[in-house]
Amino acid sequence: MTTHYLPTGTVYGVLLNFRAEFDALAPQMNEPPYKAPPQAPILYVKTANTFSAHGADIALPAHVEEVEVGATIGLVMGDAGRVAGCALFNDLSIPHASFYRPPVKFKCLDGFLGVGGTLRTDGADPGAMSLEVRIDGQAKQRADFSQLVRDPARLLADVTDFMTLRSGDVLLLGCNAARPLARAGQRIDIVAPGFETLSNTLVKEKA
C-alpha cells in the first residue's frame, strides 16, 4: 500500500553509515581532533525549507555549478516510536570537505531535499532494499542497503538511545560513497523496486 507523502516533522540525515564510505575515511578518523572512529551516529538536519516534492524543479544558486546527489531511503516515524513506513529521498548538497560537521550552508539550501511522492507502508525491510541513481536517464550509482554500518533497526535504536523521534520525523539511512554530481538542466531519477520513481530537475535560480 502507498499513500501520497511529504514530511510533517524533522528530517535527520546520518553520515558514514555505508561501509564503503566509512572504510574510505577510516584513516582520517584516527587523526586530530577526534583520534578515533565515531561511537554514535553522526546526525545533521535537513530543514523544512529544503523539501522538494517529486516532479518539482530544484533551483541552484548562481554561484553553484554542481551538486552531490545523495540518494537514500528514510524511515518515517509513527506513533509510540514505531516506524510508519519508508520513502525515497534525494539529499542534495554542495560538495564540501567536512564530513564530521557538514555546514548548514552546504546542505540546507532551499529545495535541497527531493522527497519521494509515496510512503511505502507494507512493512518491507529497508535493509534489504537497493536503489539506482540515473542522471538524464543514465545509471550513475547503485546503493545496496545491506551494506550499512548500522542496519535500520540498529540505527534507529542507537539514535533513540539519546534523542526522541516524534511522529512525522524522518531518519535517513545514509548515502553511498562516490556520490554522483549533477548540474542545472539535468534530471535526477532515483529508482527502487516497490517505490514510485523520485524525479527532480535541476535549474538555475532566477536572478
Side-chain angles (χ1 to χ4, degrees):
M1 177 182 177
T2 56
T3 56
H4 290 289
Y5 169 71
L6 273 176
T8 58
T10 303
V11 177
Y12 298 94
V14 62
L15 297 175
L16 302 177
N17 199 37
F18 265 88
R19 179 58 61 186
E21 184 178 54
F22 188 96
D23 290 347
L25 293 170
Q28 301 177 33
M29 297 177 191
N30 294 314
E31 298 175 358
Y34 300 100
K35 299 183 180 180
Q39 299 302 305
I42 304 173
L43 302 182
Y44 58 94
V45 174
K46 296 292 283 198
T47 46
N49 66 294
T50 65
F51 302 167
S52 286
H54 161 66
D57 291 344
I58 297 176
L60 303 186
H63 69 282
V64 175
E65 293 297 325
E66 57 189 11
V67 292
E68 290 182 345
V69 178
T72 189
I73 293 170
L75 306 180
V76 180
M77 302 305 297
D79 295 329
R82 298 185 180 91
V83 176
C86 57
L88 296 178
F89 290 85
N90 183 2
D91 182 4
L92 296 174
S93 63
I94 298 174
H96 56 279
S98 174
F99 286 90
Y100 284 99
R101 295 180 180 177
V104 169
K105 68 178 181 178
F106 292 155
K107 299 192 76 69
C108 290
L109 283 76
D110 291 349
F112 265 40
L113 184 68
V115 180
T118 55
L119 174 64
R120 184 169 172 177
T121 58
D122 59 0
D125 177 14
M129 297 177 183
S130 63
L131 58 77
E132 183 176 84
V133 177
R134 300 174 186 169
I135 299 178
D136 287 342
Q138 296 187 352
K140 295 295 185 180
Q141 185 191 44
R142 180 178 173 83
D144 180 351
F145 287 82
S146 69
Q147 302 302 309
L148 297 176
V149 174
R150 290 177 170 89
D151 65 28
R154 181 184 170 195
L155 177 64
L156 182 61
D158 286 353
V159 169
T160 55
D161 185 56
F162 63 84
M163 62 182 283
T164 298
L165 293 175
R166 302 183 183 280
S167 179
D169 288 348
V170 179
L171 180 62
L172 306 181
L173 297 180
C175 304
N176 207 357
R179 295 162 196 165
L181 299 174
R183 294 172 172 263
Q186 294 186 310
R187 188 186 78 249
I188 303 167
D189 297 320
I190 299 176
V191 182
F195 292 92
E196 176 186 349
T197 296
L198 167 58
S199 300
N200 296 102
T201 299
L202 303 181
V203 299
K204 270 297 182 184
E205 188 175 66
K206 294 180 180 179

